[in-house]
Each structure stands twice: as C-alpha cells, then as structure tokens.
Amino acid sequence: MRTARGAATAVLLAVGLIQAIPLVAAVAANFDALYDLKVNDNDLEILMRNRAVYIGAVGALLAWSALRPQLRPAAITLSVVTLGSYVVLALYVGDYNDKLGRLVWIDIVNVVLLAGAAVVEFSTRRQGRAADASHGAGQSGSQ
C-alpha cells in the first residue's frame, strides 16, 4: 500500500502543478494566444484572467495536499469538480478550437488520475481507521 500511496502523492503533485499553469495566463501579455481566443472586451478579459487565477489556486491547493494529507479529500473533490465541469461544458457547448480541445483531453486524463488517487486515499484512510480500532480494542480489553 505504501507504493500506491506514493503514486497517489505523485499524481496529486503532478496534476496540481498542471492545474496551476493557468496562473501564468492570468498575467501573460499574450493571453489571447495561450487559448487561441480573441478577447476584445475588457469585461471578458477580466473574467477570463480571474478564471485562470481560480483554476491555478485550485491546482496549488491540490499540489499542497500532496504534502498535507488532511487536505486531500477537499482538494481532490474541488479539482475533480472544476476539471469535470470544464469537460462537461465543453462537450455541451461544442465547436471549440484545437487548443481548448487539448485541454478537454488533459482534463479527462487528470480526472481519471485523481479518481485513482482518491481510491488509494480512501482505502488508506479506511485501513488506518480499522487498524486504529483494532489497536484501541486490544488496549481496552487488557485493562
């Protein structure tokens, strides 16, 4: 189980760093080129850059959770919701450009990886609780 936990930690760190990449877009001068979009409206640009900060912050939280296991359930859930919602919205709206299409596939892969990490995390926590319970039961029976 230790190897699986290490792999899950690596997944959280890797997906978190990938998700943090939009932080660069938030301050990039060539914002339009990053997503192959024409953002001609200041209001839309503010919204898009803010979205980049939000997604990057979720990624940073996910990467941080690789080092702080108590954050993992919330970080994984938040990441799956944000990545999954992008995929669902892109498929629902359709007719997106190639760069956004690549993001759809990247997000699908990341959701699958996070689902695997979540299974390992849940299983590890469950085994830890079972071990704690059996250890606690042994102590109370000896007194």
Side-chain angles (χ1 to χ4, degrees), residues 11-77:
V11 164
L12 296 175
L13 187 57
V15 174
L17 292 174
I18 289 167
Q19 248 187 302
I21 291 171
L23 287 171
V24 174
V27 296
N30 61 340
F31 184 80
D32 293 1
L34 290 171
Y35 296 108
D36 198 20
L37 297 172
K38 295 289 181 216
V39 180
N40 298 324
D41 181 300
N42 286 348
D43 295 333
L44 182 58
E45 183 173 347
I46 291 166
L47 287 171
M48 291 299 295
R49 288 182 186 270
N50 179 260
R51 178 195 174 279
V53 170
Y54 174 72
I55 298 297
V58 171
L61 173 65
L62 188 63
W64 184 247
S65 79
L67 305 172
R68 300 283 188 233
Q70 67 273 20
L71 298 175
R72 290 179 182 181
I76 292 170
T77 301

Side-chain angles (χ1 to χ4, degrees), residues 115-132:
V119 167
V120 169
E121 185 64 25
F122 175 75
S123 174
T124 303
R125 285 175 182 258
R126 192 169 141 199
Q127 285 178 350
R129 283 193 298 268
D132 289 345

Side-chain angles (χ1 to χ4, degrees), residues 66-107:
L67 305 172
R68 300 283 188 233
Q70 67 273 20
L71 298 175
R72 290 179 182 181
I76 292 170
T77 301
L78 186 59
S79 293
V80 167
V81 167
T82 58
L83 294 168
S85 67
Y86 176 77
V87 171
V88 169
L89 289 169
L91 295 175
Y92 175 75
V93 173
D95 198 28
Y96 41 80
N97 68 40
D98 289 341
K99 285 187 179 181
L100 296 181
R102 270 181 258 147
L103 290 177
V104 168
W105 283 108
I106 289 168
D107 285 359

